[in-house]
Amino acid sequence: MQIIDRQKVNKQIKELKKKYGDDRSALMPILQDLQEIYEYLPDVVMQETAHSLGIHPVEVEGVASFYSFLRTKEKQGKYVIRLCRTISCDLAGKSNVARQLENEMGIKFGETTKDGKFTLEYTNCLGMCDRGPALMINDRLFAKVDPEKASQIIADCRRDFLKSDFPKVVPSDVKKAGPILDHGLKPAEAIKKALSMSRSEIINTIRESDLKGRGGAGFPTAVKWQLAGAAKGENKYVVCNADEGEPGTFKDRMLLYEHTDFLLDGMTIGAYAIGASKGFIYLRGEYLYMKKYLEEALENRRSEHLLGKNILGKDGFHFDIRIRMGAGAYVCGEETALIESLEGYRGEPRNRPPFPVDTGFQGNPTIVNNVETFIDSALIIVKGYEWFNIHGTEKSKGMKIFSISGDCERPGIYEFPFGIKVSELLKEVGGEDAKAVQIGGASGHCISRKDFTRTIAFEDIGSGGSIIVFGPDTDMLQVAKNFLEFFVEESCGQCTPCRDGNPKLLEGIEMLENGRCSVTYLNELKKLGETIQNASKCGLGQSSPNAFLSIVDNFKPEILGPAAAGKLTKEERYARKR
Amino acid sequence: MAKILIVDDDEDFVSAVNLLLKSNGFDVAIANSRQEGMEKFDEDNPDLVLLDVMMDEPDDGFVMAQSLKKKAKDIPVLMLTNVGQVTGLDFDKDSEMVPVDDFEQKPIMPNILLDKINQLLGK
Ligand SMILES: Cc1cc2nc3c(=O)[nH]c(=O)nc-3n(C[C@H](O)[C@H](O)[C@H](O)COP(=O)(O)O)c2cc1C
Ligand code: SF4
């Protein structure tokens, strides 16, 4: 057993408090750094952190146990291998890689080798959906892994000579750029222009552009900024939601890296417009490799007076940005859960109202926006609202960045106008023979060929940009199962419909697999799905049955197959006849 | 006789205030949305605007106040709202974001509303 010197822990915590602050919002980064040192969070470490921040140790344990990237029980291996089990990697052959990894190390998923060298885990979406199967070892990413490559990687770890697939940051695979990605702006051009405008002029320009949030929900950006701008408060906050947890989404990964300055311009413009002086980028734990790069970008901007006091000589306009890392919880992409997480709590969504625009981070007015939304805002300020809103549809203006993966010839990142037909999109990506398309990630809808003439727009099928193509041979029941497993794992557990309903749906799928689900029971499950949609507190629960319900609706003959093959009990056969 | 423009999407509130103002000798114009409000403002040249906050969009009142002040900064705007109670939004007069001359919480007592209006009209 490791003997831990309390005094030493205390000294370390003191240092970390200097870096992250001494209030509760420093809890997560302190725990993350301590885990780096001790390879897990032993009780002593959590107790000392609690004392030091003046909170109860149980609270600290409650927080640590919430996040899958924080470990409280046992020391993790020197190499923590996390294999993505999201549908896109699944379609690309994850199961074979999984088996090979188990064979190589002689352990199952969730275990650590006796020599303490390896921990093997599954993870949800690494944001590498166009290059699956993907896995992450500590903070390094590996793409297009096959069993042979898996074996090689393990051998490299054994020799402590692990070569990364991507020595710096994952290069992006932009297959089609448009006005947004080919904007041609210089860094800081947008902030310079914005500082020559009044706060209300900025918000009005965004309003005229009709920009709606790119994170998925499509809330008008100008309304959010206006409300936060009008709200009373000395300390307002700008938060960039870079949690990108929606399975099948990887466009923010590219935007964060290739359009960093424009994101930071957008955040700074947002701060000026609402009157904020502090900002955060909430970066998903899986993108840890990008933290250093972003920190350098922030540092450069400080030295160029684009962050800090009196930005670009504008008297009284102070703004700075810090990076906070997520820790493997999808629900933390929901904006109120994200704020809870920033404050050092479990990422449990809040009741609304009040809304973050007036009661956000530590009770202060806060805007939370997606990476792409901030970039679009910066571009609109320079190029004008008409440049933006000539594209798209009546209710969904502008171009949108899509992450496209699955069974298609050219997966990658695409810029299309809102309103594009699914069939047009499939043609572009080489997926014309698709049997189904999942639009909007796990929380979106799965449509079949009959709906390929529908459009992607907030008024038809809305999407934060995740598109997963399913080829003719896809087993749709397995697709539904994969998504439900995801939600069962990611539910925060606060409310009953989501916490207990999703496992019931999953159980139903297993019954279907085994030919033990009657049509009557399936109809009951559909009703349960609708109840979960209506009665859950946050967007996670509300959207969790979408994939299941749409697959049941669109592929009923297929998923009822096993049951029709005659594996029913007498009672079930009876029930089916009714 | 002073003319008051009421911009509010709550029909019950509008009809009550309409009655109250008319019986106290004011001319009244009514609009139920920001767009209609701006049109009526141009057509009717009111002496004062009573303005709600949340209409079609939750920030319509703020946006309209900004447009009004750009057009005619001397016409007083009295913001009437229960947005604070509904959403917790706590806001203040602010020449840039909330450029109104005063604001009052709904529901409001008739005599208080009349006093406020007269005061803003400089009577
Ligand atoms: C479970 C869940 C996960 C979410 N994940 C993300 C995310 O990873 N990134 C994001 O920008 N928005 C995410 N959202 C939406 C946010 O709650 C919020 O609407 C968004 O950040 C607002 O920014 P926007 O208006 O610019 O889109 C998520 C919502 C839910 C319910
Ligand atoms: S719906 Fe699910 S994730 Fe959202 S608060 Fe309820 S239990 Fe948590």
Side-chain angles (χ1 to χ4, degrees):
Chain A
M1 211 178 86
Q2 189 180 10
I3 309 275
I4 295 170
D5 175 355
R6 270 182 199 267
Q7 261 180 347
K8 196 166 138 209
V9 177
N10 258 315
K11 228 170 111 197
Q12 286 158 340
I13 294 173
K14 230 185 223 160
E15 284 308 307
L16 291 172
K17 277 169 73 177
K18 277 191 211 147
K19 193 163 153 197
Y20 298 118
D22 51 12
D23 63 9
R24 170 121 190 199
S25 71
L27 178 58
M28 285 277 287
I30 290 179
L31 291 180
Q32 283 162 333
D33 282 13
L34 288 170
Q35 174 163 288
E36 277 283 300
I37 302 171
Y38 294 97
E39 293 171 344
Y40 80 120
L41 295 168
D43 287 345
V44 186
V45 169
M46 286 194 282
Q47 284 157 10
E48 289 309 312
T49 310
H51 292 150
S52 170
L53 290 173
I55 47 185
H56 197 283
V58 167
E59 289 261 329
V60 174
E61 190 167 352
V63 169
S65 61
F66 183 85
Y67 296 94
S68 64
F69 281 17
L70 295 177
R71 300 176 72 91
T72 55
K73 293 282 175 277
E74 51 163 6
K75 208 165 162 167
Q76 58 195 3
K78 179 168 179 196
Y79 296 101
V80 181
I81 302 175
R82 295 191 170 106
L83 177 66
C84 175
R85 66 166 153 204
T86 304
I87 191 80
S88 306
C89 284
D90 206 48
L91 292 172
K94 165 221 84 183
S95 309
N96 292 350
V97 177
R99 203 169 46 229
Q100 192 56 37
L101 287 171
E102 288 180 337
N103 287 345
E104 292 289 335
M105 288 175 279
I107 51 170
K108 295 273 169 217
F109 278 80
E111 293 177 358
T112 299
T113 52
K114 286 214 176 71
D115 62 1
K117 193 113 185 171
F118 296 105
T119 297
L120 183 58
E121 288 178 347
Y122 276 121
T123 187
N124 289 320
C125 204
L126 289 170
M128 299 289 288
C129 325
D130 54 339
R131 296 152 189 255
L135 59 82
M136 194 173 174
I137 302 185
N138 301 344
D139 63 351
R140 297 194 199 174
L141 271 173
F142 297 84
K144 296 195 172 164
V145 182
D146 58 15
E148 231 168 286
K149 184 166 169 184
S151 164
Q152 184 58 46
I153 291 172
I154 300 302
D156 288 348
C157 290
R158 287 217 159 90
R159 292 185 294 132
D160 284 329
F161 194 70
L162 184 59
K163 291 189 291 289
S164 180
D165 267 11
F166 309 105
K168 282 173 131 186
V169 172
V170 187
S172 51
D173 205 359
V174 177
K175 291 274 165 43
K176 189 180 173 92
I180 302 284
L181 294 178
D182 278 341
H183 54 69
L185 250 62
K186 289 196 223 45
E189 208 175 325
I191 180 69
K192 279 180 196 148
K193 171 89 185 285
L195 290 181
S196 71
M197 296 162 75
S198 74
R199 296 167 54 203
S200 56
E201 269 169 355
I202 292 174
I203 298 178
N204 275 327
T205 307
I206 306 286
R207 176 172 297 104
E208 293 293 334
S209 77
D210 213 358
L211 170 64
K212 295 199 166 100
R214 270 24 189 174
F219 190 79
T221 305
V223 174
K224 192 179 275 187
W225 290 20
Q226 173 62 58
L227 291 172
K232 229 178 359 186
E234 288 300 303
N235 296 305
K236 298 187 185 180
Y237 289 86
V238 172
V239 178
C240 171
N241 189 342
D243 199 46
E244 191 160 65
E246 190 63 58
T249 318
F250 45 94
K251 49 116 190 153
D252 289 345
R253 180 195 83 206
M254 178 275 293
L255 292 173
L256 281 160
Y257 183 55
E258 302 211 337
H259 298 264
T260 322
D261 269 302
F262 309 96
L263 162 67
L264 300 176
D265 278 349
M267 288 181 71
T268 313
I269 293 169
Y272 176 64
I274 71 161
S277 56
K278 287 182 191 145
F280 292 106
I281 296 175
Y282 188 89
L283 185 65
R284 65 187 310 225
E286 290 83 348
Y287 291 171
L288 181 61
Y289 57 88
M290 220 174 315
K291 186 174 176 220
K292 213 168 129 217
Y293 167 77
L294 289 173
E295 266 164 357
E296 278 167 19
L298 291 174
E299 208 42 59
N300 283 342
R301 284 180 77 96
R302 284 182 198 112
S303 63
E304 287 165 22
H305 302 287
L306 295 168
L307 283 176
K309 296 241 180 269
N310 302 317
I311 290 177
L312 288 177
K314 183 93 179 172
D315 246 1
F317 176 40
H318 316 312
F319 180 62
D320 211 330
I321 300 172
R322 278 178 287 170
I323 297 169
R324 283 290 156 90
M325 296 306 300
Y330 164 68
V331 71
C332 287
E334 195 281 339
E335 58 184 15
T336 61
L338 188 156
I339 291 170
E340 287 284 310
S341 178
L342 281 177
E343 289 180 358
Y345 292 89
R346 294 160 69 89
E348 292 172 344
R350 296 176 178 173
N351 280 325
R352 284 179 287 191
F355 295 95
V357 285
D358 51 77
T359 314
F361 180 69
Q362 295 179 337
N364 297 296
T366 303
I367 52 169
V368 181
N369 280 116
N370 176 253
V371 176
E372 189 182 341
T373 311
F374 281 120
I375 293 174
D376 286 353
S377 306
L379 301 182
I380 289 165
I381 290 302
V382 178
K383 301 194 175 225
Y385 58 82
E386 284 144 327
W387 166 84
F388 184 81
N389 70 16
I390 51 164
H391 303 286
T393 68
E394 184 57 32
K395 294 208 169 104
S396 313
K397 297 280 192 228
M399 303 293 288
K400 173 85 189 86
I401 317 298
F402 289 90
S403 319
I404 303 180
S405 64
D407 299 323
C408 58
E409 281 163 31
R410 296 175 291 279
I413 290 163
Y414 287 78
E415 178 174 345
F416 292 130
F418 262 126
I420 185 171
K421 277 202 186 109
V422 176
S423 54
E424 288 165 358
L425 182 146
L426 286 172
K427 206 163 152 202
E428 291 268 359
V429 305
E432 290 100 324
D433 65 345
K435 165 185 187 179
V437 180
Q438 179 77 18
I439 299 174
S443 63
H445 293 268
C446 189
I447 63 164
S448 63
R449 293 192 75 87
K450 72 174 167 35
D451 287 326
F452 285 3
T453 50
R454 289 180 65 184
T455 59
I456 301 177
F458 295 117
E459 63 271 33
D460 193 355
I461 313 175
S463 168
S466 161
I467 306 280
I468 306 172
V469 183
F470 300 120
D473 301 329
T474 315
D475 177 345
M476 297 314 290
L477 197 56
Q478 290 310 308
V479 172
K481 186 176 180 183
N482 184 294
F483 287 142
L484 270 172
E485 282 171 346
F486 171 74
F487 286 116
V488 166
E489 187 171 309
E490 297 295 344
S491 165
C492 83
Q494 268 191 101
C495 47
T496 316
C498 172
R499 183 191 59 234
D500 291 346
N502 281 312
K504 271 281 166 220
L505 296 184
L506 182 57
E507 198 184 281
I509 289 189
E510 281 155 3
M511 288 168 72
L512 280 163
E513 273 182 322
N514 297 324
R516 297 180 55 81
C517 180
S518 67
V519 173
T520 314
Y521 189 63
L522 187 61
N523 287 337
E524 288 299 318
L525 288 177
K526 277 177 70 177
K527 278 192 221 149
L528 171 64
E530 285 155 15
T531 306
I532 300 173
Q533 287 175 325
N534 293 328
S536 294
K537 175 169 163 179
C538 85
L540 187 149
Q542 288 156 14
S543 61
S544 57
N546 290 353
F548 171 82
L549 291 173
S550 50
I551 288 174
V552 170
D553 278 346
N554 291 325
F555 299 96
K556 206 167 195 173
E558 177 184 328
I559 62 170
L560 281 175
K567 292 187 197 161
L568 301 183
T569 63
K570 209 164 69 191
E571 290 75 11
E572 284 163 343
R573 256 199 308 276
Y574 173 69
R576 287 189 82 195
K577 277 192 201 135
R578 280 195 306 172
Chain B
M1 194 184 295
K3 184 176 252 181
I4 315 264
L5 171 62
I6 310 173
V7 187
D8 200 315
D9 62 348
D10 176 348
E11 284 176 18
D12 294 341
F13 181 79
V14 170
S15 64
V17 176
N18 184 18
L19 214 65
L20 173 75
L21 294 180
K22 278 196 174 140
S23 63
N24 281 277
F26 291 101
D27 265 352
V28 179
I30 292 169
N32 298 118
S33 69
R34 169 159 72 90
Q35 283 72 14
E36 200 191 343
M38 290 309 291
E39 283 161 23
K40 290 267 164 83
F41 184 80
D42 290 338
E43 283 165 23
D44 291 301
N45 292 318
D47 302 293
L48 180 146
V49 181
L50 286 183
L51 183 58
D52 185 21
V53 176
M54 292 174 111
M55 290 178 277
D56 293 334
E57 293 291 346
D59 64 341
D60 271 339
F62 300 135
V63 180
M64 179 154 172
Q66 290 166 13
S67 315
L68 289 177
K69 288 294 168 183
K70 256 187 225 137
K71 258 182 193 254
K73 70 175 187 329
D74 298 332
I75 304 294
V77 177
L78 173 56
M79 191 164 257
L80 287 175
T81 175
N82 54 2
V83 64
Q85 280 159 310
V86 179
T87 68
L89 179 65
D90 191 8
F91 60 89
D92 215 342
K93 279 184 284 187
D94 154 353
S95 59
E96 176 80 37
M97 287 293 157
V98 195
V100 299
D101 296 84
D102 214 336
F103 57 87
E104 282 291 332
Q105 290 291 328
K106 283 199 245 179
I108 182 167
M109 296 299 285
N111 55 336
I112 297 182
L113 180 61
L114 288 172
D115 283 353
K116 261 274 130 73
I117 290 176
N118 285 325
Q119 189 190 327
L120 288 171
L121 288 171
K123 286 191 179 166

